[in-house]
Each structure stands twice: as structure tokens, then as C-alpha cells.
Amino acid sequence: MSFDSAPLSEAERFARLRLARADRVGPVSFRQLLDRFGSATRALDALPDLVSRGGAAAYALPSPDRIQAEIDAGAAAGARLIVLGDAVFPPALAAVDPPPPVLWALGDSALLSREAVAVVGARIASAGGQRIARGLSQSLGQAGFVVVSGLARGIDAAAHAGSLETGTVAVLGGGVDDVYPPDNAGLYNQIVERGCVVSESPMGMRAQARDFPRRNRIISGLSRGVIVVEAELRSGSLITARLAGEQGRDVFAVPGSPLDPRSKGPNDLLRQGAILCEGIEDVQRAFETLRYLGEPATEPFDMPAEVDAALIERVAALLSPTPTPRDELARACGAPVAEVAGALLELSLAGRAALLPGGMASL
Amino acid sequence: MSFDSAPLSEAERFARLRLARADRVGPVSFRQLLDRFGSATRALDALPDLVSRGGAAAYALPSPDRIQAEIDAGAAAGARLIVLGDAVFPPALAAVDPPPPVLWALGDSALLSREAVAVVGARIASAGGQRIARGLSQSLGQAGFVVVSGLARGIDAAAHAGSLETGTVAVLGGGVDDVYPPDNAGLYNQIVERGCVVSESPMGMRAQARDFPRRNRIISGLSRGVIVVEAELRSGSLITARLAGEQGRDVFAVPGSPLDPRSKGPNDLLRQGAILCEGIEDVQRAFETLRYLGEPATEPFDMPAEVDAALIERVAALLSPTPTPRDELARACGAPVAEVAGALLELSLAGRAALLPGGMASL
């Protein structure tokens, strides 16, 4: 395991950023490579070989210059790089399966280690919904919680505004220097000044639609609970709520009148068992119930140094677009799970498999 | 048991109304007397003796003239008397423990035997709340349900208005000829014409505050489920919801914004496990789940014809203002439950004990 308390060397931190930015390395394989090789430095050495064993042709690691450029851009912006394994990596986020390999933080990164609650919701929010979000964030702040949200219009903006005084964290889809949406530029500047802006993306990257689910998993991952205030069905806020549930965090929903379509999201969450939230008391009552703040669902295990080439092909033949549990694949090929995991890692690095959270894999 | 299918004679129906109107005979003792004596006629014969054995002095049954006057007043108003044991006694209400001994019905009493859902809520309701109540009642009616409510201002009135076309039942605290509140007189007349007005109270009786919980238990007792639309904490609607839960009926709550105090009631019901209701689909989904529509919690058993006088006093000595289960009293005096039940019945008729639902008794 790579989460011991000794501080990481600068070379290893550089290697972790480089590994995180390598082609076909996602959060799942990043974590598995660290587990298997003990350090990103050694994983980078092994990577080209693993890729070719997985059945892919030439593979180029990101150049050290490119990584240095990302670090320099961060330093120029005053941002701080936090890699998985750093002592300051937010503990709640490290417990997520898989955690993001790296984070950039602009502002007061100490906020990331405090107990946090996320407040998220509709972009086109009602005046009442914004009032509720602002009020909830104020009382969460007064109760000692950092408030996490996504700097979107509407509920997110109200949540940040209500917690500027006490501690607010904005998680962005693009780089921490990518101010989006533009009309929240003033709020963004205040958060950089007094709170913290966080992102998994490289400096300078513009947010794409596909970045938001990744962003949402960090919003919930930083938080002990997620409160949804107004959300239409099939909205990003409901994705955040689902991720929170999968991460073992409490999901709260503020009820609303069935006459307002923005109540559909929270009301439906309530139907599915979310905790009804009218105020801070509901959050505190839920938190008094001691809960298990999930370790990763899949225990790391020692992957073999060498995976049999024939096994790699047998595992590849079993994959389909439907996510399949690693254990099931192991049973199907009659091989130990650790070896199948090793085969899957090499296939994923070769672009022939996708590693999914919870020990699942697909084509 | 007195609920066989043979129609009751007119003399027995008269006796049942007379027994229901007798001093110190409430719904619990009414049912127990019927169980013990097999008919109200025989129970009336035995009553003075039971009372004196229970330790009270002179006891006068209501005069036959007084009962005849109630019947005549009902007939003059066009109301129909329904006594427990009549084939037309609403089956859902007969399953309540204890059921009301008698009902007066003005209008189409056939509605009382159809599957019903109650819609209740705040008197001072918001326009939105009234719109929701009216809409829910309309769709309940279209789905074949009779809608039950309490003819109060606000939500109740909207519920009746929405279901006038399809079948609506108003349960009153006073007599069925006691139009209350006066500003619902027009609605009352429409319900008498096209729906049904029901009450446990004698004709001509004005509703008192203490009649409303009794009224509310009939609202829920007639219904398979109760929907609460807007209610402040500690309101009559929440009493109806609690009674519905105790009667084994589904409790539904329409969520609302925490900014409106009228949402506190339904939101709190949701916190306690009520079914979230945004529309008829929620009701139908709940009803698809087959549930046990409670027989009385306490199985009737054969009470002894004679109860030992010493036992009566021993039971009396064990009673306190705190409700105590009959079984516990039986254990405490080392006597069979049936004999203790007999003793409690006589004590209650003597005004020395109160019989409570679920086989409980208190001083």
C-alpha cells in the first residue's frame, strides 16, 4: 500500500502526476498500479511493458516537460498540487473507490481536511430554493461544517454565498483557473480569496460536459453528506446524490411542492430513502447515528509481478460491454482473482478493457 | 359474535342504538357487550345489574322514547341509520378496533361500501395546497375511489369539491344535520344531493371540539389510505394520520417547501415513514403492495356470564391513570384474561374504569 505516513519525495509526487496524466490510466488503474508496484516511479518504469503485454502497440508516457509545464502553470496561478498519498489529501476523498489520483487546490487547502457537507441543486432555481440553500449553508457553517458545491448558477452559487464566511469549497470540472460559468466570476474570486477551489483537471483545461460526473464524484467524496435542494429528474444533482449513496455518504433531500417541477428530484430521492432535510437539525440528527465511512469496497491485494499471456487473452475473450465483476471472470477462467486483476489492468492499459469502480470491468 | 349475515331485526337495531346511547357505554364496551351477550337486546337487560355489580349506584338506560325521537328526527331529515352488524355497515370501518356502534348517513349511503381514500389537511390552506387536494381527489375519483374528508375549510372543502362528480363522503363531528362551518353550507348541500354525509352523533347534535378526534377516526376508518395535504404540527390532520396508522391504513403525505409552515405536518409524517405522495401513481403503487387490512387487534373471546365480585375489586385496585394491558392485569391477579375482561367491562359501566382500544384499560 502506498498510503503510509512518510511524506512522498518530490520525485515520487512528480511521478504520480505523470502517471495520473498517462494515456489509458484512470483512477482505478492508477490505484492498482500503485498497489502493484508500490510507487508511481516504479509503475511508470513498468508501464510500457505492461501495455505491450496487454496487446497494444507503441505507448508513449507523457513527457516530463509536459508534466513540469502543468506544475509551473499551477505554481504561477498560486495553486497547490495534492497527489494521492500526500498527508493533506482529503481523508474523506481518499476513502472513495477509486479516489482521484491528483487534485489542484487554489485558496485555503486546509479547508479540504475539515468535515464537509455538500449543498447542490438546480441551476435555474426558485428564489425560495436559493434562500433555503443559503440558509442551510449558513447554519452548516455555524455548526462547523465546510460547505462543498459546484460553483454552478442557482443553488450552488447560493450555497457558496452562504458559507463564504465560514468555509466553502468549489469543485470545478475544468482546471481551477477555468472560471465557469462566467457570471459567477465575482463569486469565484471571493472563493479563491476566502475559500478553496478544487479540480482534478490540469490547469488551463476548459470543462466539457463529460467532466461533470467526475467533478460530482469529488463533491460527494469530499463530504460526509450531500443535500439536494431543488433538482429536476435526470439532473446532475441527482447524479451527485447517487454517487454519494454509492460512496456511503448520507443523502439529504429538501422536500418541495409537487406543483414545482424542481421538487421532482428531491421528492423522488425521498421516495428512494433519502433523509428529509428541512434544516441543520436533520443533518445533525443523521450524523449522530454513527456510520461506516466506507473504506474502498474492494480490498487491495498483491497482484502478481507477471501475468500469464494466455490468461490475458482468456480474460479478454470473456469481456463484454456489460460490466462484469472481477470475481466472476476469475471463476469463469478458473484463475486466482489476483491474476485476473493483473490481466485486466494490462488489458485496460492496452485500451482493450475499462476498469470500473467496485472491481468491475467491461470492454 | 354478532356480525353474522342474517339481517338484524328492527327490535335489535333499536336496541343497538339504545345501547350505543347508554351512559358509560363507549365503542369498546359496546362491542364487548355484544360479544358477551350476543345481542344488544340481551345486553340492555343485563346492563343495570352489571353496573351495580361494578360498584355504582342507580343506573338509568336511555328511555325508548328518546331513542324513538332520534330515529324519527333522522327519518324526517331523510337520513339512514346504520348500526354495527347491519350488512351495509362499511366493511373498512367495521375492521377498526373498536368500530363506532352506529352511524347516521344522509345521501347516497352506497358510497360507504366502496373503496375509499381520505384527503385531509389544513383549514387555512394555500391556493397551491387546495389545487393539489382538488386534483388528487379528481384523479382518485377517476380511478374509482370514493374520497372521504371532514367538510372543514381549506383542504377538506377542496377534496370534496374535486370528488363531487365521482363520489365523496363528508364525516361530521356533530349530527349529519349540523352544517359546520356555515360557509361550507353550499358544499354540504351538494354532498347531501350527490355524495354522502356521515356522523356517529345523534341528529341535531352540534359539534364540540372533543368530537373531532372521534370524527377523524371515522374518516381514516372508512378509508384504505389517508393523504395529508398541508398541515401544521399538532393539527387535527396529523391526528387523523396517526389514527390511520394505528388502524393499519396507508398514510400518505404531500411534501412541501420548508419555507411554508403548513409543510411541517406532511414533511414530519414523511420523516416518520409516511408514503410520499405527489399524485395518484403514488397511491396506486402503495395499494399494489398487498397489505393486511387489520382485523381488531384483540380477538374477541367468550366472557363469563358471571364475574366474581372479589375479582372485580382486585382488578379495580390494580388500575391507574396509565393505560394497562388487560393481559398484564390478568397476570397480576392470577385470573384468566376472559374473567378480567368481564370485570373491566363491569367496572367501566360503573364509571370506575375506562376501556381503551387494543385491550387496554385505565382509571
Side-chain angles (χ1 to χ4, degrees):
Chain A
M1 278 293 296
S2 45
F3 301 94
D4 42 37
S5 48
L8 299 173
S9 70
E10 276 314 300
E12 173 63 12
R13 297 183 73 244
F14 188 95
R16 289 191 182 200
L17 179 58
R18 193 175 175 207
L19 183 60
R21 299 297 183 229
D23 266 3
R24 298 181 202 138
V25 173
V28 176
S29 43
F30 180 90
R31 176 145 200 166
Q32 290 189 359
L33 286 165
L34 278 195
D35 288 343
R36 178 157 163 189
F37 294 99
S39 75
T41 311
R42 282 194 293 273
L44 285 171
D45 286 346
L47 204 50
D49 195 39
L50 287 176
V51 169
S52 74
R53 287 167 46 78
Y59 182 79
L61 289 171
S63 72
D65 285 355
R66 197 188 117 194
I67 301 305
Q68 190 57 51
E70 180 175 347
I71 291 175
D72 293 345
R80 176 174 186 179
L81 175 67
I82 303 176
V83 305
L84 189 63
D86 277 340
V88 295
F89 196 94
L93 190 58
V96 165
D97 175 34
V102 302
L103 288 178
W104 281 102
L106 191 56
D108 179 7
S109 60
L111 292 174
L112 301 177
S113 298
R114 282 176 47 197
E115 195 161 50
V117 173
V119 177
V120 299
R123 288 177 168 71
I124 303 167
S126 73
Q130 293 179 54
R131 204 166 112 207
I132 291 171
R134 200 177 302 109
L136 269 172
S137 296
Q138 271 165 355
S139 31
L140 285 165
Q142 282 154 12
F145 294 103
V146 166
V147 172
V148 180
S149 197
L151 196 69
R153 291 188 190 87
I155 297 299
D156 284 19
H160 289 304
S163 54
L164 263 178
E165 306 276 340
T166 48
T168 201
V169 171
V171 185
L172 305 191
V176 290
D177 53 352
D178 175 41
V179 185
Y180 183 85
D183 37 333
N184 278 349
L187 182 59
Y188 168 90
N189 289 330
Q190 288 181 292
I191 299 175
V192 169
E193 188 108 344
R194 309 161 74 175
C196 189
V197 173
V198 176
S199 173
E200 194 181 4
S201 300
M203 304 296 302
M205 208 191 85
R206 304 300 308 262
Q208 313 284 319
R210 66 182 155 75
D211 294 320
F212 288 106
R214 288 198 310 140
R215 187 270 310 251
N216 293 347
R217 117 185 179 282
I218 297 181
I219 292 178
S220 55
L222 284 167
S223 309
R224 184 162 169 190
V226 171
I227 308 177
V228 178
V229 189
E230 296 193 338
E232 308 225 8
L233 292 177
R234 281 172 298 279
S235 61
S237 307
L238 295 197
I239 294 178
T240 310
R242 180 173 56 75
L243 294 169
E246 289 173 5
Q247 292 167 354
R249 314 301 158 96
D250 283 325
V251 178
F252 299 90
V254 176
S257 164
L259 298 177
D260 187 335
R262 287 168 292 210
S263 303
K264 291 262 177 268
N267 289 349
D268 203 49
L269 287 174
L270 291 172
R271 231 182 243 115
Q272 293 167 44
I275 302 163
L276 190 139
C277 178
E278 291 185 303
I280 176 90
E281 307 74 32
D282 291 302
V283 177
Q284 287 174 322
R285 196 180 311 114
F287 285 177
E288 279 162 18
T289 316
L290 216 60
R291 294 177 75 249
Y292 174 74
L293 243 190
E295 279 296 300
T298 49
E299 276 301 304
F301 40 66
D302 289 323
M303 284 193 202
E306 286 284 319
V307 181
D308 185 60
L311 179 63
I312 292 177
E313 295 311 317
R314 264 190 293 153
V315 171
L318 288 169
L319 289 174
S320 82
T322 309
T324 312
R326 199 158 52 191
D327 300 7
E328 197 176 311
L329 294 169
R331 266 199 305 281
C333 15
V337 176
E339 290 197 19
V340 170
L344 284 169
L345 176 58
E346 296 183 15
L347 285 166
S348 82
L349 294 171
R352 297 172 64 197
L355 299 187
L356 308 169
M360 309 279 275
S362 67
L363 263 191
Chain B
M1 278 295 297
S2 46
F3 301 95
D4 42 36
S5 48
L8 299 173
S9 70
E10 276 313 300
E12 174 62 12
R13 297 182 75 244
F14 187 96
R16 288 190 181 201
L17 179 58
R18 194 175 174 208
L19 183 61
R21 299 297 183 227
D23 266 3
R24 300 183 200 136
V25 173
V28 176
S29 44
F30 180 90
R31 175 145 200 167
Q32 291 189 359
L33 287 164
L34 278 195
D35 287 343
R36 178 157 163 189
F37 294 100
S39 75
T41 312
R42 283 195 293 274
L44 286 171
D45 286 346
L47 203 50
D49 195 39
L50 287 176
V51 169
S52 75
R53 287 167 45 77
Y59 182 82
L61 289 172
S63 72
D65 284 355
R66 196 188 116 194
I67 301 306
Q68 190 58 51
E70 180 176 344
I71 290 174
D72 292 345
R80 176 174 185 178
L81 175 68
I82 302 176
V83 306
L84 190 62
D86 277 339
V88 296
F89 196 93
L93 191 58
V96 166
D97 175 33
V102 301
L103 288 179
W104 281 103
L106 191 56
D108 178 8
S109 60
L111 292 173
L112 301 175
S113 298
R114 279 175 47 194
E115 194 161 50
V117 173
V119 176
V120 300
R123 288 178 167 71
I124 304 166
S126 73
Q130 292 179 54
R131 204 167 112 206
I132 291 171
R134 199 176 303 110
L136 269 172
S137 296
Q138 271 165 356
S139 28
L140 285 165
Q142 282 154 13
F145 294 104
V146 166
V147 172
V148 181
S149 196
L151 197 70
R153 291 188 191 88
I155 298 299
D156 284 20
H160 289 303
S163 54
L164 263 177
E165 306 276 340
T166 48
T168 201
V169 171
V171 185
L172 306 190
V176 290
D177 53 352
D178 174 41
V179 184
Y180 182 85
D183 37 332
N184 278 348
L187 182 58
Y188 169 91
N189 289 330
Q190 288 181 291
I191 299 175
V192 169
E193 188 108 345
R194 308 162 74 177
C196 188
V197 173
V198 176
S199 174
E200 194 181 4
S201 300
M203 302 298 300
M205 207 190 85
R206 303 299 307 260
Q208 313 284 318
R210 65 181 155 75
D211 294 320
F212 288 105
R214 288 198 309 140
R215 187 269 310 248
N216 294 347
R217 117 186 179 281
I218 297 181
I219 292 178
S220 54
L222 284 168
S223 309
R224 182 163 171 191
V226 171
I227 307 177
V228 178
V229 189
E230 295 193 340
E232 307 225 8
L233 292 177
R234 284 173 297 280
S235 61
S237 307
L238 295 197
I239 296 178
T240 309
R242 181 173 55 72
L243 295 168
E246 289 172 7
Q247 292 167 353
R249 314 300 160 98
D250 283 323
V251 178
F252 299 89
V254 177
S257 164
L259 299 176
D260 188 334
R262 288 169 289 211
S263 304
K264 290 264 177 267
N267 288 350
D268 204 49
L269 287 174
L270 290 173
R271 231 182 243 113
Q272 293 167 44
I275 302 163
L276 190 139
C277 178
E278 291 184 303
I280 177 89
E281 308 73 31
D282 291 303
V283 177
Q284 287 174 320
R285 197 180 311 113
F287 285 177
E288 279 162 17
T289 316
L290 215 61
R291 295 178 73 249
Y292 175 73
L293 243 190
E295 279 296 299
T298 49
E299 277 300 305
F301 41 66
D302 288 323
M303 285 195 202
E306 285 285 319
V307 180
D308 184 59
L311 179 62
I312 292 176
E313 294 311 317
R314 264 191 292 153
V315 171
L318 288 169
L319 289 173
S320 81
T322 309
T324 312
R326 198 156 52 190
D327 299 8
E328 196 175 312
L329 295 169
R331 266 198 306 279
C333 8
V337 177
E339 290 197 18
V340 170
L344 284 170
L345 176 58
E346 295 182 14
L347 285 166
S348 83
L349 294 171
R352 297 172 65 200
L355 299 186
L356 308 169
M360 310 278 275
S362 66
L363 263 191

